[in-house]
Amino acid sequence: MLSPAALFGVVGYPLAHSMSPALHNWGFSRVGISAVYMAWPVPSEKLADFFVAVRTLPIRGGNITLPHKVASMALLDTVSTRAKSVGAVNVFFWEGGRLHGDNTDVTGFLAPIRNERFTSALVLGAGGASRAVVVGLKELGVPDIAVSNRSANKAEALAKDFGLRFVPWDNRASVGADCVINTTSVGMKGERVAESPFPQEGFTGRGLAYDIIYNPLETRFLADARAAGWKTQDGLAMFVEQARESFRLWHKGADLPAEEAAALIKQTLAL
Ligand code: ATR
């Protein structure tokens, strides 16, 4: 009989596309932990109530996703230096009786490109995920980082916070960066899945197109880039690595095998 001792989960809205429950429930049984990981679709106006529930129920930790990565910071007791530098949290857990937030998206984002070198990068989008991407690009030492977003004010604020070049959305195709990263939700399953946030004529010369979306693995953005002769990186490695890092934080270093985790997600996506 199933008698889990602890609850974990992911909070976001909407959540239909999340693979986190599949990955972590597999992880719990893989390393012999008695726990259940749920999907908690919570709209923004209920986010504060959600964290009251976390403080009431036997919830040991979880992940925070779109659109709550920035707003959740104020609802936790403590936040790591890493999460503060990003300005967003994607994981929470109890630490010494306090509800603590951290950010594992930077580690996840860098995992597949640690050995790459770029002279310039263009970040599309200015939400919580884009901040982790910018911190990652800085850690990688990319000298010229530009940001563009449908709503200019958010990209301008991000550019100011991190000392980036602001590019108006209508000019994004003419930046000429050798790495373009999509952090918008355009192309995600259920969110304009057939569309790309970047005009194909923007893929000039050679470069790497990196989409942090993992559902679907092949987005229109990546298909357009490949057709233009660019290298591509999908969001699976970032997803798996942020999840493995979350798992380590919850379970004091317990490690999930990366290849098995990636295979499980691919299999689940194909269902
Ligand atoms: P996350 O925390 O995961 O980054 P988010 O904060 O909700 O999620 O950010 C979503 C991003 O996708 C934003 O940059 C958003 O642009 P706006 O700031 O203009 O809303 C972007 N986005 C969503 N739908 C879009 C669309 N149809 N076209 C262009 N950008 C879009």
Side-chain angles (χ1 to χ4, degrees):
M1 200 177 93
L2 179 73
S3 55
L7 269 180
F8 290 82
V10 55
V11 60
Y13 200 81
L15 265 186
H17 62 275
S18 179
M19 291 286 135
S20 293
L23 183 62
H24 290 294
N25 284 317
W26 165 80
F28 293 151
S29 58
R30 182 72 174 72
V31 303
I33 288 167
S34 170
V36 163
Y37 189 105
M38 299 180 71
W40 291 311
V42 173
S44 295
E45 64 272 18
K46 292 264 175 74
L47 190 64
D49 289 347
F50 168 77
F51 280 105
V52 173
V54 170
R55 293 167 191 277
T56 313
L57 297 165
I59 295 173
R60 302 281 182 262
N63 292 113
I64 298 162
T65 189
L66 186 151
H68 303 321
K69 290 180 182 188
V70 178
S72 295
M73 288 188 83
L75 300 166
L76 298 162
D77 299 325
T78 53
V79 168
S80 71
T81 316
R82 181 164 60 170
K84 273 188 201 144
S85 74
V86 175
V89 283
N90 76 316
V91 58
F92 69 91
F93 51 98
W94 291 99
E95 198 173 60
R98 291 185 176 161
L99 200 53
H100 180 71
D102 204 336
N103 193 303
T104 66
D105 281 335
V106 179
T107 308
F109 170 70
L110 285 175
I113 57 165
R114 278 224 179 258
N115 299 321
E116 304 272 347
R117 288 295 166 264
F118 307 107
T119 52
S120 55
L122 170 64
V123 179
L124 301 170
S130 70
R131 302 177 75 91
V133 165
V134 167
V135 170
L137 292 170
K138 292 212 158 214
E139 202 175 307
L140 203 60
V142 180
D144 175 21
I145 305 170
V147 58
S148 190
N149 190 53
R150 176 181 61 176
S151 312
N153 58 337
K154 283 211 259 168
E156 278 168 332
L158 189 69
K160 194 160 165 264
D161 283 359
F162 290 96
L164 316 173
R165 193 151 56 89
F166 163 73
V167 173
W169 189 241
D170 288 346
N171 299 353
R172 66 197 185 286
S174 47
V175 170
D178 58 4
C179 181
V180 181
I181 305 111
N182 175 37
T183 75
T184 77
S185 49
V186 180
M188 198 183 282
K189 190 174 179 191
E191 298 254 348
R192 302 163 173 263
V193 70
E195 293 175 34
S196 168
F198 193 61
Q200 195 183 16
E201 62 270 22
F203 294 116
T204 52
R206 287 289 174 268
L208 175 78
Y210 188 159
D211 201 329
I212 68 167
I213 291 173
Y214 63 89
N215 189 7
L217 282 173
E218 175 83 344
T219 56
R220 172 77 187 275
F221 172 72
L222 293 186
D224 284 356
R226 189 173 297 113
W230 277 44
K231 288 197 290 180
T232 59
Q233 173 63 53
D234 63 46
L236 183 61
M238 175 170 175
F239 174 72
V240 168
E241 290 309 316
Q242 66 74 27
R244 292 178 72 222
E245 180 82 351
S246 297
F247 205 88
R248 276 183 218 113
L249 290 171
W250 297 328
H251 307 299
K252 303 285 169 261
D255 225 352
L256 291 181
E259 280 175 20
E260 282 180 42
L264 174 94
I265 298 303
K266 275 192 182 163
Q267 201 181 33
T268 311
L269 287 171
L271 290 179

